[in-house]
Amino acid sequence: EIVLTQSPATLSLSPGERATLSCRASQSVSNYLAWYQHKPGQAPRLLIYDASKRATDIPARFSGSGSGTDFTLTISSLEPEDFAVYYCQQRTNWPDTFGQGTKLEIK
Amino acid sequence: QVQLQQSGPGLVKPSQTLSLTCAISGDSVSSNSAAWNWIRQSPSRGLEWLGRTYYRSKWYHDYAESVQSRIIINPDTSKNQFSLQLNSVTPEDTAVYYCARVTVTTYYFVDWGQGTLVTVSS
């Protein structure tokens, strides 16, 4: 099973700042990686798939990059509604696995 | 637009069976281009994929090794829904359970149910 390690565990930033979240895979997942946003009391929302493709209706401030084992989710300028937990997920090897999450909190 | 509506009890006693249902609107459980999944989230385990069912001329089921011996995911074509049964639960099965759809377009979890907090306690 592929293990995804996200860093940092918690990221404290202010609205308007740039956020950079990392996801590292224990072996190559090619570009078969997604990012989800999860807010309390809501279902996770798919933001990015295949490492860099934005899902439907996702704002352009969200972007993804990387391939192989190292991936990055960037939020170019944080809006108040962006503070949440972010998870990466791989689908290269069965079973699908998730990272442990990065909590993006308001500084 | 696809919507997934979950139902089921929020409290289950240890050693008993956890049962949840996910009703589908906007797609068919028998679709040849979708797969129907159960995922749970807990503070200790994070997000954990549990299993899926899908139809490709016949029904298929895949389950996570961690729960393989005690999980059943069944489609119900008459009601256009699918269900989760998890037997012999312990307090470690306490989690928020989600149903989710994957399509052959993206192969990721695009559509999710609202989530059900299931607590295992006597």
Side-chain angles (χ1 to χ4, degrees):
Chain A
E1 166 171 315
I2 293 178
V3 176
L4 299 178
T5 302
Q6 293 186 240
S7 61
T10 303
L11 185 57
S12 300
L13 294 170
S14 301
E17 290 193 293
R18 181 184 188 90
T20 303
L21 287 68
S22 175
C23 177
R24 175 164 289 178
S26 58
Q27 63 190 79
S28 176
V29 298
S30 184
N31 67 327
Y32 298 126
L33 188 110
W35 290 92
Y36 297 84
Q37 179 190 67
H38 195 193
K39 296 180 180 180
Q42 298 183 18
R45 178 171 72 145
L46 178 67
L47 300 174
I48 302 288
Y49 67 98
D50 288 348
S52 61
K53 298 175 182 175
R54 265 192 305 276
T56 303
D57 295 330
I58 300 303
R61 64 181 181 272
F62 292 93
S63 63
S65 62
S67 67
T69 61
D70 290 299
F71 299 86
T72 301
L73 173 69
T74 302
I75 310 172
S76 59
S77 178
L78 286 165
E79 297 287 341
E81 62 267 27
D82 297 338
F83 292 92
V85 180
Y86 291 83
Y87 294 94
C88 55
Q89 175 237 331
Q90 67 81 27
R91 66 166 187 88
T92 297
N93 276 13
W94 186 89
D96 292 359
T97 53
F98 294 87
Q100 82 280 15
T102 290
K103 182 179 182 181
L104 179 55
E105 64 177 24
I106 299 176
K107 188 174 182 180
Chain B
Q1 184 179 352
V2 174
Q3 291 191 323
L4 304 176
Q5 182 67 39
Q6 297 177 218
S7 60
L11 181 63
V12 182
K13 289 182 166 50
S15 79
Q16 296 194 341
T17 296
L18 180 161
S19 296
L20 297 174
T21 299
C22 183
I24 303 162
S25 58
D27 198 354
S28 168
V29 71
S30 304
S31 168
N32 276 294
S33 59
W36 307 97
N37 299 261
W38 287 98
I39 295 164
R40 67 183 177 184
Q41 188 201 24
S42 63
S44 59
R45 293 172 173 260
L47 282 169
E48 179 184 16
W49 176 82
L50 298 176
R52 64 184 177 187
T53 185
Y54 57 99
Y55 186 77
R56 303 288 186 268
S57 303
K58 68 174 185 176
W59 287 102
Y60 292 86
H61 304 85
D62 297 315
Y63 300 126
E65 285 187 8
S66 60
V67 295
Q68 190 168 26
S69 63
R70 54 192 187 98
I71 188 173
I72 299 172
I73 296 176
N74 271 335
D76 182 341
T77 57
S78 65
K79 295 182 179 178
N80 200 32
Q81 62 188 28
F82 63 107
S83 63
L84 167 69
Q85 264 185 251
L86 189 63
N87 302 319
S88 305
V89 297
T90 72
E92 288 212 343
D93 294 310
T94 295
V96 178
Y97 287 76
Y98 295 97
C99 57
R101 180 180 81 134
V102 167
T103 71
V104 299
T105 306
T106 61
Y107 290 98
Y108 296 96
F109 304 106
V110 177
D111 302 294
W112 296 69
Q114 78 274 25
T116 302
L117 173 60
V118 179
T119 302
V120 179
S121 174
S122 53

